[in-house]
Amino acid sequence: MVTAVHYFATLEDQMMLLDYLGEPAKVTLHPWPLITTPLTALNREDALEQSRVMVVNHQLGLPVPVRAGDAAMQGGSVSAVFNRLNWETFAPAEDEALMDANASPIILWSPARLRPDAILPSSLGSQADLMAQVSKDYERWVNRSMSWIRRNGTRVWGLEWRQTRPDLDIDLSFISTVIALPGALQALESGTPGRSFESKSGEAATGNG
């Protein structure tokens, strides 16, 4: 993910986020990164079982497909390389295509698997190299969505996490800032540990595309 906010969330926190985004009236949820026509829709329960989800704001437009031979697959740019890697990894069927991250007004949501023994970090953001090149409205939407998480949560991890919340049992494999939404913060303060991402098979190449 090129631009993202990482956060801890309980089920209730994730529901609050989806309510804010306007699911299902304003936005819909779909598998990532393969797209079909029409798009395969996910309800909230199914989406929470996915490692990565496309959030589509229908006022901004649908995801843009990219297929073998398209310009987005050609050349040595980072996005083109990841597009080719993802094409090999997912082997799209004839009626499927990859989502073009640099042209699609799509939020990438990675909801962490819910576990009773630990809270894992989720993330939300964009994989576009330059969001404004997709559209200004898209850039504003992504930034507003990430800002909602920051406004409604509490920073519990980052470069100076020991000075931030040394009382919490958090052990992550990265140093990016992590925000705890209200339910997650209460769980962390009650002793539930925060741990790193689970390894999930079949994930796309990261970075872009």
Side-chain angles (χ1 to χ4, degrees):
M1 211 179 262
V2 176
T3 302
V5 58
H6 301 278
Y7 65 96
F8 286 124
T10 61
L11 176 60
E12 291 75 16
D13 293 328
Q14 300 284 31
M15 293 301 102
M16 284 189 352
L17 171 61
L18 292 174
D19 287 344
Y20 167 77
L21 292 172
E23 194 282 332
K26 295 181 180 179
V27 309
T28 50
L29 310 175
H30 309 274
W32 183 97
L34 296 181
I35 58 178
T36 59
T37 303
L39 291 173
T40 300
L42 299 170
N43 60 34
R44 293 188 179 192
E45 182 179 8
D46 291 337
L48 284 166
E49 293 298 318
Q50 305 292 313
S51 59
R52 298 187 179 193
V53 175
M54 284 194 295
V55 182
V56 176
N57 183 332
H58 290 266
Q59 290 185 336
L60 300 180
L62 297 175
V64 176
V66 58
R67 297 179 174 86
D70 289 352
M73 287 278 190
Q74 308 304 314
S77 68
V78 172
S79 61
V81 170
F82 279 113
N83 281 337
R84 293 196 294 271
L85 288 172
N86 286 335
W87 189 269
E88 293 177 3
T89 298
F90 288 94
E94 186 175 345
D95 61 343
E96 295 177 327
L98 288 176
M99 187 269 295
D100 187 345
N102 282 325
S104 301
I106 301 304
I107 279 180
L108 173 56
W109 177 42
S110 297
R113 188 174 299 278
L114 297 172
R115 292 173 34 170
D117 60 330
I119 299 181
L120 310 179
S122 300
S123 64
L124 182 140
S126 170
Q127 283 207 321
D129 290 335
L130 290 172
M131 292 188 292
Q133 287 190 358
V134 178
S135 78
K136 288 290 187 181
D137 286 340
Y138 169 64
E139 182 179 38
R140 284 190 285 268
W141 177 49
V142 175
N143 287 332
R144 283 198 309 268
S145 300
M146 294 191 299
S147 294
W148 183 90
I149 293 174
R150 296 187 182 102
R151 288 196 314 271
N152 288 275
T154 301
R155 179 174 175 267
V156 295
W157 179 263
L159 282 173
E160 299 177 351
W161 70 274
R162 290 188 182 277
Q163 287 74 40
T164 304
R165 290 303 301 262
D167 57 311
L168 302 181
D169 180 10
I170 301 176
D171 185 11
L172 304 179
S173 60
F174 59 91
I175 58 173
S176 300
T177 297
V178 179
I179 305 297
L181 289 175
L185 181 62
Q186 183 177 10
L188 290 166
E189 290 176 337
S190 297
T192 303
R195 293 295 182 260
S196 286
F197 297 100
E198 288 182 321
S199 175
K200 298 178 183 179
S201 61
E203 288 194 351
T206 56
N208 191 297

